[in-house]
Amino acid sequence: MNRCVIGLQWGDEGKGKVVDILAESSEIVVRYNGGANAGHTVVVGNDSFALHLLPSGAVRPETICVITNAVVIDPETLIEEIEGLAKKSVGLNNRLFISENAHLVLDYHKKEDQLREEALGKNKIGTTIRGIGPCNADKVGRSNAIRVGDLGSLGELEPKLRAIVDYKNKVFKCVYNAEPLDSGVLFEKCKSYAEKLMPFSIDTTEYLYNALSKGKSILFEGAQGTMLDIDHGTFPFVTSVNVSALGMPAGAGVPAKVVDEFVGVAKVYTTRVGSGPFPTELNNDIGQYIRDKGHEYGTTTGRPRRCGWFDAVVASYAVAIGAIDSIALMHLDTLTGLDELKICVAYEIDGRKTSFFPANINKLVKAKCVYQTLPGWKEDITGVTDFTGLPQNAKDYVTFIEKCIKRPATMIGVGPNRKQTIFKNIHSR
Ligand code: GDP
Ligand code: IMO
Ligand code: MG
């Protein structure tokens, strides 16, 4: 059984938790997109892991972890993560494989990201400043790109790096009046990256092809969420690649048809970090209640997340373009205590009602939400293990979402811990 986990909103839906659960029945977990802009949280007992580049399967000592070609790798973050897990006695030797074709995020990418955002002022995208956009731009531009495999030929890397840094320094000075970087210092860092990362570097496309041929079960872990997709999200307030399900085959290097189940992950409300339109946003006490109760602060940047009602127009769109089979609904516990809950079932744009998401922000900013109101519940549900054990209003809320997006909820989150999950509509897992 091969599965792929996809975020259905603006990221941070709880993919890390879902991947961790599904990893129990998978031999290999694959991170195939994004970079250290992602922050995937896995909570096991009293231990919490925030993973940025390693697949969330990494916390299970028997799971093989693969990072494919389309992940843009910040070597410093990856090394920190590998060493951080080793300190917790979770070793990755012989079970971590990194694509030699994955592009490297280097210091000048992060600097460029920051300078560009500062220059944009109030029009900034609100990026994570992890250098993701500049690295992907260099990848597409080709001539200034450095990949993991380049760390294997340091003799050739040195002059290449010097030329790139010279070019970047001109941009820093002329465009931003900013200090230059020292290519010698960066090259020394690359030597240490080479020593620490080259032992993991392989051709992951070949590795996954062989694994699939042998019938291994693979779990593909998407980063970000469909609304942040460069082509199908809320452009320009998106990340720099295809992070909807449509990006999975190119990112992983395997055809989408090998995936038996696309699992979409959504919170039972909506959050977003960074700038851009957010039709169901709650700039009031209810938004703050959700932020406080759900600990809605970024895993990567610590920024407060913007919070709003569940948007069925957004989730249905993500399900439609991603051919999502089933959904994991997270954070049901966070809504406990609210008198009534709203779900956006359609938008009204220029007097016309639509339930199909317009991925054009000129239209989206005009969207007025059409809401359905449902009653809330007060009971603590964080210890509930079975759907029938939920208060009737909580069951009705979940059932209403399933009806809106026309997919069954197979997992329902009632707390951050692995064990705080209700399984529904499935045989066993
Ligand atoms: P990801 O990027 O999609 O992996 O999500 P993040 O890890 O960035 O953010 C999700 C946050 O919600 C993390 O702190 C999780 O530990 C937490 N979380 C996941 N599922 C639940 C849930 O059902 N209830 C609560 N209260 N927290 C959850
Ligand atoms: P996970 O995998 C939430 C958002 C940023 C910003 C936009 C562009 O944890 O769900 P970038 O740094 O990618 O150029 O920023 O995308 N963003 C995320 N928001 N979760 C993420 O990842 C995100 N990755 C990027 O906040 O709005
Ligand atoms: Mg996250």
Side-chain angles (χ1 to χ4, degrees):
M1 176 86 166
N2 302 318
R3 296 192 188 93
C4 179
V5 170
I6 296 287
L8 300 181
Q9 295 160 324
W10 276 278
D12 301 328
E13 295 90 348
K15 299 175 294 293
K17 175 177 166 174
V18 171
V19 168
D20 171 55
I21 291 168
L22 297 179
E24 191 179 10
S25 53
S26 311
E27 286 158 279
I28 303 171
V29 181
V30 179
R31 256 297 295 274
Y32 65 85
N33 67 358
N37 49 352
H40 295 182
T41 315
V42 177
V43 183
V44 189
N46 294 327
D47 243 341
S48 179
F49 302 84
L51 299 166
H52 302 285
L53 282 162
L54 286 173
S56 298
V59 305
R60 294 183 180 269
E62 69 289 357
T63 304
I64 306 269
C65 296
V66 177
I67 301 177
T68 64
N69 54 288
V71 178
V72 288
I73 297 180
D74 179 338
E76 251 156 54
T77 307
L78 182 54
I79 292 164
E80 244 171 58
E81 257 169 40
I82 295 170
E83 292 177 350
L85 282 188
K87 278 197 197 121
K88 292 187 173 183
S89 303
V90 186
L92 282 149
N93 287 344
N94 303 319
R95 67 180 185 100
L96 172 64
F97 301 101
I98 303 171
S99 171
E100 59 197 6
N101 293 333
H103 288 246
L104 292 180
V105 179
L106 296 172
D107 288 351
Y108 47 79
H109 292 126
K110 289 180 265 189
K111 187 170 169 114
E112 197 178 331
D113 202 355
Q114 183 172 0
L115 290 170
R116 209 194 284 179
E117 284 284 275
E118 280 169 9
L120 282 169
K122 67 177 179 36
N123 295 324
K124 68 178 181 188
I125 293 168
T127 74
T128 57
I129 323 272
R130 292 299 185 270
I132 308 301
C135 182
N136 278 313
D138 279 347
K139 172 179 174 179
V140 176
R142 289 150 292 162
S143 43
N144 279 346
I146 295 183
R147 308 203 281 182
V148 169
D150 293 328
L151 295 172
S153 338
L154 289 171
E156 286 167 41
L157 180 63
E158 189 175 22
K160 186 173 178 187
L161 192 62
R162 205 180 320 118
I164 295 173
V165 174
D166 276 354
Y167 168 80
K168 298 282 182 186
N169 281 342
K170 283 185 195 136
V171 176
F172 293 152
K173 179 151 189 1
C174 298
V175 181
Y176 303 105
N177 197 23
E179 293 298 308
L181 290 176
D182 184 330
S183 70
V185 171
L186 189 50
F187 182 65
E188 287 307 310
K189 286 190 186 180
C190 283
K191 284 203 229 163
S192 125
Y193 303 153
E195 195 189 316
K196 291 183 172 159
L197 294 181
M198 283 315 282
F200 300 106
S201 160
I202 62 160
D203 178 340
T204 54
T205 308
E206 181 183 10
Y207 181 85
L208 291 177
Y209 175 81
N210 288 332
L212 286 166
S213 311
K214 288 182 196 144
K216 303 266 184 204
S217 57
I218 306 183
L219 176 59
F220 297 92
E221 174 176 5
Q224 286 82 53
T226 304
M227 290 298 124
L228 293 170
D229 186 285
I230 180 101
D231 286 300
H232 305 287
T234 50
F235 187 91
F237 302 104
V238 291
T239 191
S240 40
V241 291
N242 290 118
V243 291
S244 65
L246 295 164
M248 176 259 155
V254 303
K257 70 177 180 187
V258 306
V259 177
D260 303 292
E261 185 183 4
F262 276 90
V263 181
V265 187
K267 281 175 182 153
V268 290
Y269 47 92
T270 312
T271 62
R272 154 162 227 184
V273 267
S275 324
F278 179 178
T280 62
E281 184 166 15
L282 290 162
N283 282 315
N284 58 16
D285 289 351
I286 301 177
Q288 191 57 42
Y289 179 89
I290 294 174
R291 188 174 304 112
D292 290 342
K293 196 142 191 285
H295 305 290
E296 292 295 357
Y297 294 87
T299 311
T300 299
T301 59
R303 290 178 292 179
R305 294 177 182 147
R306 300 158 65 191
C307 300
W309 295 124
F310 185 81
D311 189 334
V313 180
V314 160
S316 302
Y317 170 76
V319 163
I321 67 167
I324 300 296
D325 298 294
S326 62
I327 49 170
L329 285 177
M330 314 310 284
H331 276 265
L332 191 63
D333 55 301
T334 299
L335 293 184
T336 300
L338 291 171
D339 292 333
E340 53 180 36
L341 307 167
K342 290 187 181 188
I343 290 180
C344 173
V345 291
Y347 295 158
E348 204 184 284
I349 301 172
D350 291 332
R352 261 193 65 231
K353 209 168 146 185
T354 178
S355 54
F356 197 86
F357 182 81
N360 171 342
I361 64 162
N362 297 327
K363 291 183 189 160
L364 191 56
V365 289
K366 294 198 250 170
K368 293 194 187 85
C369 294
V370 179
Y371 285 112
Q372 173 85 31
T373 303
L374 287 91
W377 59 90
K378 304 281 180 205
E379 299 89 332
D380 177 9
I381 59 170
T382 54
V384 176
T385 51
D386 191 275
F387 189 70
T388 55
L390 287 173
Q392 190 58 44
N393 288 352
K395 283 192 272 193
D396 291 347
Y397 185 78
V398 168
T399 308
F400 188 78
I401 292 181
E402 288 178 308
K403 207 175 101 202
C404 287
I405 64 180
K406 301 186 184 70
R407 289 297 183 279
T410 49
M411 288 186 215
I412 297 161
V414 291
N417 210 290
R418 224 183 231 176
K419 290 199 175 128
Q420 292 176 298
T421 311
I422 297 171
F423 296 101
K424 185 170 165 286
N425 293 314
I426 45 167
H427 342 287
S428 66
R429 206 159 246 161

